[in-house]
Amino acid sequence: MPLRVRLTLWYGTALAAILVVFGGVLYAMLAHGLRDQVDRSLDEAASVAVRALEQHRVGPFLPFEDLAVEFPELAVLDKSFQIFSPAGKVTIQSPNLGRLDIPLSRTALEAALSGRATFESARFLDGSSFRLLSVPIILDGALVNIIQVGTSLRSVEEMLHRLLLVLLVSLPAALAVALGGGWFLAGRALRPVEAITQAARRIAAGDLTQRLTVAHSPDEIGRLAATFNNMIARLEASFRQVRQFSADASHELRTPLTVMKGETELALRRARPAEDYKLVMESTLEEIDRMAQIVDELLFLSRADLGEVRIESQPVRLDALVEDIQRQAVVLGQEQEIQVMVGSVALVQVQGDELRLRELLLNLVDNAVKYSRPGGKVEIALARYAGMARLSVTDQGIGISVEAQTRIFDRFYRTDDARAHAKKGTGLGLSICKWIVEAHHGRIEVQSKAGEGSRFTVILPAD
Amino acid sequence: MRILVVEDEAKVASFIRRALEEESYAVDVCADGARGLDLARAGCYDLVILDLMLPGMPGLEVLKALRKEQVAAPVLILTARSELDQKVKGLDAGADDYLTKPFAIEELLARVRVLLRRGSGEAAGVLQVDDLVLNPATREVTRGGKRIELTAKEYALLEYLMRNAGRVLTRPMIAEHVWNQDFDTFTNVIDVYVNYLRNKIDRGQERKLLQTVRGSGYTLKAE
């Protein structure tokens, strides 16, 4: 069932219950109040009559006219008036009773004999209801008369009847109006939800540029829309990243393919000296190595993304690692007359995966050598500061511009200078470094000035 | 026919250059977008082969700048991205054709021929002046149905003359479009080659097609 219908139904049911209870209570209270009023007025009339009879010691045989002359207040009473003898016989009857004959009931008589007044309701054959009060008059301990005061309940009943009619007509009408309003309001409140559904459907169809245009209100819907927009923005960003990544990956793989295809086809166009074929094959081999490296690194990163790369947690002596890598790097640098040195090295141990840390440091040193100029120096240093190991690799190479510094850890990102300076390089090395550092709960920082050199600093929690 | 190749991958640029040179085109290579633009602007190239991913200046920007400056040379773009919008953007920016890497050498050469042909208004893929016919695809030259064997340089010279049939071509123009180096200082090399060529196409023929325009240069035309 749609939420709108359900909301309206809930609302309607609750409102109907409230209205019914309200109507019932109103009716009961009014009925009770009116009867009370009737009873009080009967009581007053009776007490006037009793007082009069007691004062004048009226005997049982006084005609009403005389009585009326004697007590004008009795005549103006809108009540019927009867006086019964102790035997229950009517002795005096007020004229407004007309032809109605109201006998004294047994209960009233018995109560009167024991000196108690009685309220009663009576309904006659013609449908009119009467409220009666029978009061005994006792003189010197003996029952002299019983005065009965009565009044028609018609006006009370009419009023109650009218109230009932009003309630029966107005309550459903009010309910209908309220239901309509509720339906409208629920629709209004739910309209943004419908908008969200539509947008979500378009987004599900692949259009991640969609945003919800719900007004920025601090209510639930506003918050939902904001949250939703936020989520789509992040989805869009990560989708873009993935798309960029695969586009970059295919670009990086296409380049060696282009070289291999082009050079091979060119070589095959006509017969050539053996030396030419040899050159083509050497070049092809280089490209194959390049592709193999890209594929390896891509595989590592995708496994890392999926959480499939396990990182050991063993004590690793970083100072020993630095010495070790430096020995390897000296060879790397020799070809281009780049000196790889070790600066100050503190004794630092960290918890981690020695193989990965070795790969990290080797990558950084390899980069430093690759982007150095002949005759340059590369320095590896290790310090301990505030409980952290600070491992740095400093070079005097081509450097990285400030705007590129934020992007060098992005996959496949290489600056134009880097591409021009070193043809080899996949643009994935620093991404891998960053991943290894973060897997060790550390961070990697770069300080660099274009043309003057760079310093990469790895900060890891030390033991 | 002089071709500029703007491509930053040294190996790709190198094999494209060798392939084009084997087809007797004069080739210049440049690895930087901004420099490529300068070259294309200054030199009179018959065709520019432009990579889209370039340092210095993106290929698309180079292309737009060229078209803005009314450089009319046909442009063939090379792209490693096969996405449709890259191609559309390139073509909209004024490129005449595109190739997606990796591409076949023969396809590159065929497209180069098509683009050069478009510039010369030749229709059937062959160039013809009177009864002299040159087929760029097969590199076959015939006169009156008889096949003429030409060296690579002679062929390049003839192709340039035939593509510009009826126009007077000065020695510097010929040097620029046919030779790789700048021959300004010893234009007599051109005269030597024109003579070789004349011997092969006009000797013994009634109608002489290759004519010297005194003080200016040469022209190839049917009388």
Side-chain angles (χ1 to χ4, degrees), chain A residues 251 254 265 269 272 287, chain B residues 11 22 80 101 104-106:
Chain A
H251 176 258
R254 264 169 214 256
E265 280 185 356
R269 285 189 89 209
R272 294 174 194 278
E287 298 305 318
Chain B
K11 281 183 164 185
E22 279 187 14
K101 291 178 183 174
I105 284 281
E106 294 304 335

Side-chain angles (χ1 to χ4, degrees), chain A residues 339-365:
Chain A
Q339 208 184 334
V340 181
M341 316 188 310
V342 171
S344 65
V345 171
L347 296 181
V348 188
Q349 181 173 292
V350 296
Q351 291 296 321
D353 190 319
E354 187 175 351
L355 241 86
R356 300 289 173 212
L357 290 173
R358 182 178 291 271
E359 191 183 347
L360 162 72
L361 187 54
L362 196 61
N363 253 331
L364 291 176
V365 175

